Amino acid sequence: MALFAARVLGATFVVLGASMLVLTWGSYRRDMALLAEGLHAEGTVVKKEFLAASDDSDYILVYSFTPQGGERQEHRRNISSKLWKRLRPGDRIQVQYGQSDPRRSFPEGHGMMSLGLALFLSFVEVFLTLIGGVALLARAETDTPQVASPSLPPPS
């Protein structure tokens, strides 16, 4: 039964790690494509939100813009504390958005996945996958009970 549980746990780690690895690099490639082929628009800061937690804080910018030939869009993005402190509601910002999907947008230069973050996440995800692989492929050893031999004296 313990072997079955180890295999299920190992398979879970492999699937989770591999899936997250694919999602990380998919997100990175999508952000890079948006950066290379995206369109620009002038946006307006609608409001700023600060979500505080005991271990981390989120700086959220709510902004709006009108894509070329489209309707006004309003989006929320996590941004750096430095940019959050600098901006005020009503300020103008440059927004980069997807040509085919204006819902994918971010303030120019902020809000996309960096190569460093993608590499760090990949390291963690590969580590999870390897741990799962070891648990999945490990051979189980059964404990054999010690049998007393009649020719040997009993242990003291």
Side-chain angles (χ1 to χ4, degrees):
M1 188 63 171
L3 178 61
F4 178 73
R7 296 270 161 93
V8 168
L9 185 62
T12 302
F13 270 59
V14 167
V15 169
L16 181 65
S19 298
M20 293 304 294
L21 189 62
V22 168
L23 290 173
T24 296
W25 286 101
S27 179
Y28 177 75
R29 287 191 55 200
R30 190 172 46 248
D31 283 353
M32 290 299 106
L34 183 77
L35 186 61
E37 301 164 4
L39 299 175
H40 300 270
E42 187 173 278
T44 305
V45 175
V46 175
K47 66 180 176 176
K48 301 180 339 179
E49 297 174 354
F50 177 70
L51 303 175
S54 60
D55 59 342
D56 195 16
S57 300
D58 288 329
Y59 297 89
I60 299 169
L61 183 69
V62 179
Y63 59 94
S64 66
F65 70 98
T66 304
Q68 294 175 0
E71 295 181 16
R72 183 175 180 265
Q73 305 266 327
E74 189 169 294
H75 297 276
R76 302 165 51 95
R77 264 299 184 182
N78 284 4
I79 58 171
S80 69
S81 64
K82 196 179 227 182
L83 179 63
W84 188 87
K85 289 174 185 172
R86 193 177 80 218
L87 293 173
R88 302 279 177 251
D91 285 355
R92 297 281 188 206
I93 58 171
Q94 285 297 311
V95 176
Q96 193 154 9
Y97 65 94
Q99 190 170 4
S100 60
D101 185 9
R103 291 175 297 167
R104 295 252 331 130
S105 71
F106 51 83
E108 194 169 311
H110 301 278
M112 53 183 248
M113 182 178 289
S114 68
L115 178 60
L117 179 59
L119 290 173
F120 172 75
L121 291 174
S122 295
F123 175 77
V124 171
E125 293 154 358
V126 166
F127 184 69
L128 282 176
T129 304
L130 290 175
I131 288 175
V134 167
L136 185 62
L137 301 175
R139 295 189 345 191
E141 304 257 343
T142 58
D143 290 338
T144 55
Q146 293 286 339
V147 178
S149 171
S151 63
L152 295 175
S156 50

